[in-house]
Amino acid sequence: MPRVTFLPDAAALDVPTGTPLLAAVLRAGRPIGYSCRGLGVCVACRLRVEGEVSPVEPAEARLLAGLSEPGAYRIACLCKVQGDCRVRADYW
Ligand code: FES
């Protein structure tokens, strides 16, 4: 199973391929904003992500375009784990 590593402390969680990053973060007990409950509207769940995750689809690209650093983030409820990856929230 792919491993999601939470930075900066390097705690890790193994999840099935295709798991939304938001679900992995919640399963790990990490705090994360998700006021639209994963509908892909609020961008509160944005994370910095490196590694093997799903490509940016048009709906996510539209949300990212509204951020000040669009290339630095992924929308956790729309981004799926495809392999090992590392994630970081600005507030962890
Ligand atoms: S939870 Fe709202 S965009 Fe992800």
Side-chain angles (χ1 to χ4, degrees):
M1 277 203 287
R3 174 158 290 187
V4 179
T5 301
F6 301 91
L7 301 175
D9 56 57
L13 177 73
D14 295 339
V15 298
T17 300
T19 299
L21 271 178
L22 177 61
V25 171
L26 293 172
R27 202 172 300 162
R30 295 275 166 157
I32 186 168
Y34 60 111
S35 59
C36 76
R37 301 287 180 201
L39 295 176
V41 175
C42 70
V43 305
C45 66
R46 65 187 177 279
L47 296 173
R48 296 180 188 271
V49 181
E50 305 168 349
E52 298 176 50
V53 292
S54 58
V56 176
E57 299 288 339
E60 185 181 5
R62 283 191 291 276
L63 291 173
L64 293 170
L67 300 176
S68 60
E69 294 179 81
Y73 294 98
R74 295 295 305 268
I75 303 299
C77 65
L78 300 178
C79 179
K80 295 181 174 60
V81 176
Q82 298 295 314
D84 292 346
C85 57
R86 292 155 302 286
V87 299
R88 177 190 303 263
D90 294 336
Y91 44 86
W92 289 342

